[in-house]
Amino acid sequence: MATLQSLSIDRSSNQLLLQVDQPARYSTREDNGDYVVTLSPARLAPGATPPAVYVGDRLRRVTVSQRGPQSVEVRLTPDAGVTIGELQVPNLRLLALPLQRQRQDAGPISSSTTGSSSGITGPIQVTLPPGRPGSTSPSFPSQPVFSPDFSLPSPSRRAVVVIDPGHGGPDPGAVGNGLKETEIVLDISRQVTAFLEGQGVQVVMTRNGEYDVDLQPRVDIAERANATVFVSIHANAISLSRPEVNGFEIYHASPSGQALASAIHRSVMQGVSIGDRGVRSARFYVLRRTSMPAALVETGFITGAQDKLKLADPTFRTQMARAIARGILQYLQ
Ligand SMILES: [Zn+2]
């Protein structure tokens, strides 16, 4: 079985490159404006994360996920006016997707192709999107296999944000100074959700009450929702004998998560009066196991002399929620 080892954007040739350890079978299809490459049978290497996407990369986002034991899905959302060209196989261990600026004269063509990077395996699957122009002629592999023949709505309207309030129910998280992490983060998370929904963003919460949710089910919720971003919300703690430790921290475990974390961090530092303990990297379970950009927010120290007063204050919690939501929106846009 092939392993997808890495994904990268080659900015000199405008291609998304998928590195595999051996020839891989693949199929491609269009899905609601996204271009999807499925490698099967294949698995995703533990360290294989989507590349950071910057303005000018001709992509809005790239996600990668293991779909069941035998298949890996890479999903590209192209920028407006960008066509994903036919998948190329420059060598047996490399798949390349050209990111082409759409030609004025290019008619809408939409089809799906299958193939194998070994060049000897026959088609394994053909999936045609129903009712798309051109779907009756999927046998022109020299044509672009994806061409948006409709206008892409703004990213914030298409985005799905998963908000993950830490802990819950029998697991109160950090406890001290009359505060319970689980209650504080649920309140903030509900407000983040309300602000985002007010902006037309679809939000899924991993819990919305005081009950137990294990870590893997939180990841599963995000994967099933095909989330654009995952944001876990916590409150911090250290020994009650260290009241001098206060401040906001945010964690990521991948380059795409770092961009998300930085956007939220910037927004919180602008909009909330709290100490800055920076953007940090840590391999928390929910950051490691989610395939989309993910960040874990530590909203403040319930053990801190200053933060305990802030976290207990509903006005502060609203400011924090608003700033987190604004940071997520800024990342999405
Ligand atoms: Zn926590």
Side-chain angles (χ1 to χ4, degrees), residues 166-167 173-174 181 185 233-236 296 298:
H167 313 278
E181 180 183 355
V185 301
I233 298 180
H234 290 253
N236 226 330
L296 186 145
E298 293 282 6

Side-chain angles (χ1 to χ4, degrees), residues 116-139:
S116 162
S117 62
S118 69
I120 52 171
T121 313
I124 51 167
Q125 182 195 0
V126 174
T127 316
L128 294 178
R132 287 234 173 268
S135 64
T136 53
S137 51
S139 55

Side-chain angles (χ1 to χ4, degrees), residues 53-71:
V53 173
Y54 300 102
V55 172
D57 281 342
R58 304 187 176 186
L59 290 170
R60 285 197 181 150
R61 75 174 172 265
V62 181
T63 62
V64 61
S65 56
Q66 184 84 42
R67 298 271 153 163
Q70 298 245 50
S71 96

Side-chain angles (χ1 to χ4, degrees), residues 35 227 241 296:
Y35 181 91
S241 63
L296 186 145

Side-chain angles (χ1 to χ4, degrees), residues 141-221:
S142 62
Q143 298 289 332
V145 294
F146 172 75
S147 170
D149 54 354
F150 48 90
S151 61
L152 291 164
S154 76
S156 61
R157 260 184 292 140
R158 303 180 70 246
V160 178
V161 173
V162 169
I163 297 295
D164 175 46
H167 313 278
D171 167 19
V175 178
N177 290 323
L179 301 173
K180 275 188 188 172
E181 180 183 355
T182 180
E183 294 172 358
I184 291 167
V185 301
L186 182 58
D187 179 49
I188 293 173
S189 297
R190 282 174 170 158
Q191 296 193 60
V192 172
T193 299
F195 289 133
L196 289 173
E197 287 177 344
Q199 297 298 312
V201 177
Q202 190 187 339
V203 184
V204 175
M205 294 178 77
T206 58
R207 74 173 172 98
N208 193 1
E210 287 306 339
Y211 46 83
D212 207 11
V213 185
D214 214 342
L215 295 177
Q216 183 59 42
R218 296 170 193 256
V219 173
D220 294 341
I221 288 167

